[in-house]
């Protein structure tokens, strides 16, 4: 087995390698003066089972193209199998034509990864689980829920209501509620534009309850902040937020620092920003979960049983 890292999140790859107790594969990733990337593997990989870990987070195009080049590089080096490990899959939200004359970029990106030569994909919270079907190769789909619920379980909330900050996330929120033993409430939001969201209505009772809001992505934080304001106005005692992918683009940090939220917890699928630490955002690592999934893929063991075995 060989594990390589793109430049998007080498800290996460390092932790995965520590979990697996193997050295990270050696390679040189460079940029020509004109901006083109060049990758050179410095380990012999012929016949090896290779994993390349690369989140396609910001700068999205740079990280995506680097992943494609990496896959091509491995393929041409005669490896036995290539698994693209994509902790955060950018463009996942562009997964349908919800209005006329728009692309389905998530499908385009899946096509590019497959065409480059990936044999499998290992991803975490693809925004909508049906995105697995965008790839014509096997996809193992993990969820940040495993690490987030473990963290929140330790808080032993006795009066918990899990709130889905939008209708699309309802199924995930229902799973959190069942894992953590709480009620369920749903906020109906209206997206005014890419960064402005308005919580319009809430189904369920949050008065005098501890609220845990869970989402797959915090991007501009419009969704969680407007939902947090609404649950507070409806009498919630405390508000916790758990999200897998901390995209945290402008003006997320400003919004989060001003929102009535007691604790924000994300994972390290995307490199953690120091500014986020300064406003108290907590980060949990998905490295052990990814490492264990990689070990099982390599040994042809079940991944679905992983969901029961991670404590
Ligand atoms: C939406 O469908 C997603 O699950 C997230 O709620 C959304 O992408 C978060 O975006 P933002 O933080 O910009 O409101």
């Amino acid at each position: 087995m060989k594990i390589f890292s793109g430049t998007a999140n080498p800290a996460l790859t390092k932790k995965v390698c520590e979990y697996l107790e193997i050295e990270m594969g050696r390679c040189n990733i460079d940029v020509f003066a004109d901006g083109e990337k060049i990758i050179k593997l410095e380990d012999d990989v012929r016949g090896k089972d290779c994993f390349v870990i690369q989140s396609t987070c910001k700068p999205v195009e740079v990280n995506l193209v680097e992943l494609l080049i990496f896959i091509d590089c491995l393929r041409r080096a005669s490896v036995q199998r290539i698994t693209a490990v994509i902790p955060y899959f950018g463009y996942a939200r562009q997964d349908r034509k919800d209005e006329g004359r728009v692309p389905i970029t998530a499908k385009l990106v899946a096509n590019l990864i497959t065409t480059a030569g990936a044999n499998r994909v290992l991803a975490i919270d693809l925004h909508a689980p049906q995105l697995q079907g965008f790839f014509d190769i096997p996809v193992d789909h993990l969820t940040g829920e495993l690490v987030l619920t473990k963290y929140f379980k330790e808080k032993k909330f006795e009066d918990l209501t899990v709130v889905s900050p939008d209708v699309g996330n309802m199924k995930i929120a229902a799973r959190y509620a069942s894992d953590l033993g709480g009620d369920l409430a749903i906020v109906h939001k209206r997206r005014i534009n890419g960064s402005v969201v308005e919580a319009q209505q809430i189904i369920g009772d949050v008065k005098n309850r501890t609220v845990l809001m869970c989402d797959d992505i915090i991007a501009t934080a419009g969704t969680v902040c407007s939902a947090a304001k609404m649950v507070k106005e409806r009498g919630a005692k405390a508000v916790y937020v758990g999200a897998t992918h901390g995209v945290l683009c402008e003006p997320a940090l400003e919004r989060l620092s001003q929102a009535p939220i007691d604790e924000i917890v994300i994972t390290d699928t995307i490199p953690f920003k120091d500014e986020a630490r300064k406003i108290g955002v907590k980060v949990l690592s998905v490295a052990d979960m990814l490492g264990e999934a990689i070990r099982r893929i390599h040994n042809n063991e079940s991944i679905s049983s992983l969901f029961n075995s991670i404590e």
Side-chain angles (χ1 to χ4, degrees):
M1 187 204 301
K2 280 276 180 197
I3 313 268
F4 289 96
S5 187
T7 55
N9 198 348
L12 177 61
T13 310
K14 187 168 172 272
K15 286 189 194 158
V16 170
C17 290
E18 279 163 13
Y19 176 87
L20 291 166
E21 297 179 338
I22 62 171
E23 294 275 315
M24 198 190 296
R26 290 177 310 134
C27 64
N28 189 25
I29 304 176
D30 218 338
V31 188
F32 285 119
D34 61 0
E36 291 179 2
K37 285 224 165 173
I38 168 93
I39 298 178
K40 164 106 174 90
L41 304 176
E42 289 177 347
D43 283 340
D44 175 23
V45 289
R46 186 175 290 269
K48 298 277 195 300
D49 187 12
C50 291
F51 295 81
V52 53
I53 304 182
Q54 176 81 328
S55 280
T56 50
C57 53
K58 201 173 168 184
V60 182
E61 277 72 26
V62 172
N63 288 333
L64 173 61
V65 170
E66 192 181 290
L67 173 64
L68 299 173
I69 297 173
F70 221 121
I71 294 169
D72 186 74
C73 184
L74 290 166
R75 184 165 61 98
R76 291 176 196 280
S78 306
V79 304
Q80 179 235 324
R81 180 172 68 173
I82 304 164
T83 302
V85 182
I86 313 173
Y88 172 70
F89 180 77
Y91 284 115
R93 289 178 290 176
Q94 295 189 40
D95 61 353
R96 65 201 175 281
K97 284 189 77 168
D98 52 1
E99 56 180 325
R101 302 188 294 277
V102 295
I104 305 181
T105 315
K107 172 63 179 151
L108 169 67
V109 173
N111 286 347
L112 290 170
I113 291 168
T114 312
T115 305
N119 303 109
R120 310 181 62 87
V121 167
L122 172 61
I124 305 180
D125 283 333
L126 279 171
H127 183 58
Q130 54 269 32
L131 257 73
Q132 293 168 60
F134 284 18
F135 294 90
D136 287 328
I137 50 178
V139 176
D140 289 301
H141 189 218
L142 304 175
T143 170
E145 209 179 308
L146 294 177
V147 287
L148 289 164
T149 50
K150 181 182 172 220
Y151 175 79
F152 286 114
K153 241 177 214 164
E154 282 164 13
K155 294 198 178 277
K156 299 190 170 47
F157 296 129
E158 282 177 357
D159 49 3
L160 179 70
T161 298
V162 177
V163 173
S164 175
D166 60 25
V167 176
N169 205 47
M170 203 170 74
K171 276 192 184 159
I172 295 176
R175 279 207 308 266
Y176 270 77
S178 123
D179 280 358
L180 296 170
D183 295 344
L184 179 65
I186 298 150
V187 170
H188 171 58
K189 81 174 182 197
R190 189 166 74 100
R191 187 170 279 286
I192 292 159
N193 59 43
S195 69
V196 181
V197 162
E198 194 178 78
Q200 295 206 303
Q201 205 36 271
I202 181 161
I203 307 165
D205 192 13
V206 290
K207 196 167 172 31
N208 293 325
R209 307 281 294 169
T210 299
V211 161
L212 169 61
M213 210 155 349
C214 54
D215 211 343
D216 57 332
I217 297 171
I218 301 180
T220 65
T223 302
V224 287
C225 291
S226 63
K229 274 184 215 138
M230 173 169 272
V231 296
K232 261 307 210 204
E233 282 160 15
R234 302 288 167 100
K237 269 197 329 206
V239 181
Y240 291 80
V241 170
T244 307
H245 307 299
V247 174
L248 303 181
C249 47
E250 287 287 314
L253 295 178
E254 190 189 334
R255 281 179 175 163
L256 291 170
S257 62
Q258 290 165 6
I261 300 175
D262 295 77
E263 189 175 20
I264 303 152
V265 187
I266 57 172
T267 78
D268 58 354
T269 57
I270 294 173
F272 192 52
K273 298 180 174 65
D274 262 352
E275 300 91 303
R277 201 185 309 275
K278 283 186 198 139
I279 63 157
V281 176
K282 188 174 174 62
V283 65
L284 305 177
S285 186
V286 293
D288 290 5
M289 175 176 76
L290 272 181
E292 182 57 23
I294 288 172
R295 192 191 66 74
R296 289 174 187 225
I297 291 170
H298 179 67
N299 292 334
N300 283 326
E301 289 173 26
S302 162
I303 295 283
S304 52
S305 63
L306 178 65
F307 293 93
N308 310 322
S309 67
I310 290 233
E311 305 242 305

